[in-house]
């Protein structure tokens, strides 16, 4: 089959490029939930001690040293990781099962909600860097939250492209 100029072409698997973009954004959002959303490290140079800890979007804590012992189970991580996970899965489902106008609006809305979840968490995590009693401490946002925002932006872009394709038919 030869495509005529102006035809919207899908891929071999019958997905449009905007659907693939939204599914990729959803997958990135799902993966981002398992990446560090918060991280902290401490080191006492004179004693040769070092400790680090990170927390992902689901509140799972990993790390080593005394910081892990201090934080293990006593801190309530109020992240919206489950929401981002659900929205990432919803992006994929919307791109596969819905059609036309409803699909484009839902893809865009899912992307915006994922971005919103990322931005809320970015603003809620404080940054700290300093020295206390010869111990250097650094804490702040982990790279996983930036991946959340990236995934949401990609999903929202897929929704915008779908809307553009509908309005130019």
């Amino acid at each position: 089959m030869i495509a005529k100029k102006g035809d919207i072409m899908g891929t071999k698997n019958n997905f449009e490029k905007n659907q693939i973009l939204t599914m990729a954004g959803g997958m990135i959002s799902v993966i981002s939930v398992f990446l560090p959303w918060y991280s902290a490290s401490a080191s006492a140079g004179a004693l040769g001690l070092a400790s680090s800890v990170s927390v992902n979007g689901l509140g799972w804590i990993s790390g080593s040293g005394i910081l892990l012992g201090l934080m293990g189970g006593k801190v309530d991580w109020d992240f919206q990781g489950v929401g981002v996970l659900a929205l990432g899965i919803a992006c994929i489902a919307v791109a596969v099962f819905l059609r036309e106008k409803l699909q484009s609006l839902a893809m865009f809305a899912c992307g915006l909600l994922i971005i919103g979840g990322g931005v809320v968490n970015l603003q809620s995590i404080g940054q700290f860097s300093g020295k206390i009693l010869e111990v250097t401490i650094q804490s702040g946002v982990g790279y996983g939250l930036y991946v959340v925002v990236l995934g949401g932006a990609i999903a929202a872009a897929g929704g915008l492209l779908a809307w553009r394709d509908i309005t130019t038919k």
Side-chain angles (χ1 to χ4, degrees):
M1 177 174 153
I2 299 174
K4 297 176 189 158
K5 188 173 182 176
D7 283 352
I8 298 174
M9 290 292 294
T11 59
K12 290 180 188 177
N13 56 12
N14 295 327
F15 287 119
E16 300 286 333
K17 290 179 182 178
N18 54 46
Q19 289 173 295
I20 293 171
L21 196 61
T22 299
M23 287 188 288
M27 288 179 207
I28 290 170
S29 297
V30 167
I31 291 168
S32 72
V33 172
F34 300 98
L35 300 175
W37 285 23
Y38 170 81
S39 60
S41 64
S43 64
L47 300 173
L49 299 174
S51 180
S52 65
V53 68
S54 66
V55 182
N56 71 10
L58 298 175
W60 299 345
I61 301 171
S62 63
S64 63
I66 195 162
L67 282 178
L68 183 61
L70 291 173
M71 298 176 83
K74 293 183 173 121
V75 179
D76 180 27
W77 297 104
D78 192 24
F79 293 141
Q80 287 83 25
V82 174
V84 170
L85 180 65
L87 285 167
I89 294 169
C91 275
I92 297 166
V94 162
V96 172
F97 297 115
L98 295 182
R99 295 288 169 238
E100 299 296 326
K101 289 183 183 179
L102 182 60
Q103 179 191 50
S104 64
L105 293 174
M107 290 189 310
F108 182 68
C110 280
L112 282 184
L113 288 171
I114 291 170
I115 292 170
V119 169
V120 164
N121 284 296
L122 280 169
Q123 291 176 344
S124 69
I125 297 176
Q127 302 278 350
F128 176 79
S129 180
K131 238 179 176 176
I132 301 172
L133 299 174
E134 297 303 314
V135 176
T136 304
I137 300 173
Q138 294 180 331
S139 70
V141 175
Y143 65 90
L145 277 175
Y146 297 108
V147 177
V148 169
V149 174
L150 175 68
I154 291 171
L160 287 175
L161 290 175
W163 184 259
R164 186 195 67 185
D165 291 346
I166 289 169
T167 58
T168 58
K169 283 185 179 180

